[in-house]
Amino acid sequence: MNFSYSDSSVRQGRQNQERARETPNTFGTQSGADDVRQTTRLDKPAQRMAGQVGNRLREYMTNPEEQARTDNWMATFELSNEGRAFNQAKMGGAPPA
């Protein structure tokens, strides 16, 4: 007989076999899972959010490439119609017609 299983199915089966051989303590489970794997980097957030001002500011202040990229974006934004309207509103003036 010729069986055709995907690599992920074989990998999952091997992990299940390994877990079945073990006798884990039921005390050491997290949310009912005995095998917890971190898939994201903990040292860097996956995405920037407006609420994480401290992380964003720290990256801007310590990374020269990020500082140059942000400064370039701000300069380009100021030249756009939206940028001019934003700056006018920020300064308390009427938006340009």
Side-chain angles (χ1 to χ4, degrees), residues 13 47 51-52 75 92 97:
Q47 73 183 76
Q52 298 175 337

Side-chain angles (χ1 to χ4, degrees), residues 37-70:
R37 293 190 180 150
Q38 181 67 32
T39 58
T40 58
R41 290 182 55 175
L42 295 176
D43 63 335
K44 191 166 192 142
Q47 73 183 76
R48 282 193 335 235
M49 297 184 174
Q52 298 175 337
V53 175
N55 290 338
R56 174 74 179 103
L57 180 60
R58 186 177 311 115
E59 186 175 355
Y60 177 80
M61 296 302 288
T62 59
N63 186 347
E65 291 175 359
E66 179 62 23
Q67 188 173 11
R69 187 192 70 79
T70 301

Side-chain angles (χ1 to χ4, degrees), residues 5 13 30 35 49-50 52 56 60 77-79 84 86 97:
Y5 296 110
Q30 178 179 351
D35 187 19
M49 297 184 174
Q52 298 175 337
R56 174 74 179 103
Y60 177 80
F77 179 71
E78 288 175 5
L79 297 175
R84 281 194 283 272
F86 176 80

